[in-house]
Amino acid sequence: MTERIEARDLFRAAYENRYTWEKNFPGYTADVTFRRGDEVFRGKVRVNPDLSGEVFEVADEQAKKEIHGQLWETAIHRIRRTFEETHGKNTFSYGDTDETGAVEILVGGKSQGDRYKVRNNEVCHVHRHIHGVVVTIDTFSSHDTGEGYLSHRYDSIYRDSKTGEVKAGRSEFEDNYEKIGKYYILTSRVIQTEENGQTVTREFGFSNVKLLEPAVV
């Protein structure tokens, strides 16, 4: 009989299987096309080596803000941090296993109350408390880069951590990536969000992606 792997080790393996950029990632520039309903906005973006984002040639302030938000959301998930840096003050134990074979991981310690699910060495469910809000993310498919996985289709919902009231309607995402040089870069993201009983579609396309030249030290 095989001894069951410790919950911490199972979760660590899935955490370390995420695709991230190495510390000397050079950054990149790209052309962006943002479609929101019938509106279309075009401009240019830059992601810097420190993973900060900039948006150029987009006059509409709300559109500019939304594009910048996607650059930030994308880059923050590519930051490479060790498991100990992120989860060193947490404890882990097993919860239930669902009908798909996803194993629930319950978190204690600093992030008490958070929980995850792991299936096929990937985190397929996230339930986290962030600044008074609970975000729940379920991933339905992923890209295997050979250097870690990237989420392809997933959804998210935000609730008040005290009342459970929905703060933002359910959003469905579909992401696609291309390998530019030796890095995988987001080239399209489609988001469908429930807003006031309607489904609003936002499409972000990134083309002409070029890596920045690393600085000579």
Side-chain angles (χ1 to χ4, degrees):
M1 183 175 175
T2 305
E3 185 178 340
R4 195 179 192 196
I5 187 173
E6 289 286 338
R8 183 182 194 85
D9 294 333
L10 183 78
F11 183 64
R12 179 200 288 267
Y15 175 90
E16 293 176 345
N17 188 35
R18 299 170 309 125
Y19 175 79
T20 55
W21 291 326
E22 62 196 22
K23 301 235 184 253
N24 59 352
F25 176 69
Y28 64 93
T29 58
D31 298 334
V32 60
T33 302
F34 170 36
R35 292 181 170 85
R36 182 180 61 202
D38 295 330
E39 299 177 288
V40 180
F41 307 92
R42 291 183 173 85
K44 297 183 184 300
V45 299
R46 174 185 172 109
V47 173
N48 297 302
D50 65 1
L51 303 191
S52 62
E54 298 176 88
V55 181
F56 308 99
E57 300 177 24
V58 177
D60 185 281
E61 283 302 319
Q62 181 59 31
K64 187 174 183 178
K65 183 178 177 181
E66 291 194 48
I67 294 166
H68 186 273
Q70 297 310 312
L71 294 179
W72 180 83
E73 284 278 352
T74 303
I76 201 169
H77 288 101
R78 300 287 81 78
I79 295 173
R80 185 170 297 184
R81 291 194 181 97
T82 68
F83 183 79
E84 289 303 321
E85 283 177 301
T86 305
H87 291 290
K89 295 181 179 177
N90 293 333
T91 61
F92 301 90
S93 59
Y94 283 116
D96 298 326
T97 299
D98 70 19
E99 67 279 1
T100 71
V103 179
E104 188 176 40
I105 304 290
L106 308 175
V107 183
K110 184 180 179 182
S111 301
Q112 175 82 31
D114 289 358
R115 60 182 185 268
Y116 300 87
K117 288 184 180 180
V118 173
R119 182 177 56 238
N120 298 329
N121 202 30
E122 297 181 6
V123 177
C124 60
H125 174 86
V126 174
H127 185 86
R128 288 187 61 203
H129 296 73
I130 307 171
H131 307 306
V133 174
V134 176
V135 59
T136 304
I137 301 169
D138 285 290
T139 300
F140 308 108
S141 62
S142 61
H143 301 281
D144 179 5
T145 70
E147 305 167 51
Y149 72 93
L150 286 161
S151 296
H152 174 228
R153 289 183 53 252
Y154 53 101
D155 67 14
S156 69
I157 192 162
Y158 290 78
R159 295 182 174 89
D160 185 284
S161 61
K162 292 188 174 64
T163 66
E165 177 189 356
V166 173
K167 304 277 284 182
R170 181 170 173 266
S171 293
E172 297 180 1
F173 295 76
E174 182 170 322
D175 292 352
N176 288 293
Y177 293 81
E178 284 183 27
K179 193 171 189 180
I180 310 295
K182 63 177 183 176
Y183 302 102
Y184 284 86
I185 308 288
L186 182 75
T187 51
S188 74
R189 170 171 285 171
V190 179
I191 310 172
Q192 294 187 306
T193 306
E194 298 168 10
E195 294 181 7
N196 304 315
Q198 305 255 321
T199 299
V200 176
T201 300
R202 292 173 171 83
E203 298 180 43
F204 300 85
F206 301 95
S207 59
N208 193 28
V209 179
K210 294 180 180 175
L211 296 177
L212 298 175
E213 294 294 329
V216 177
V217 179

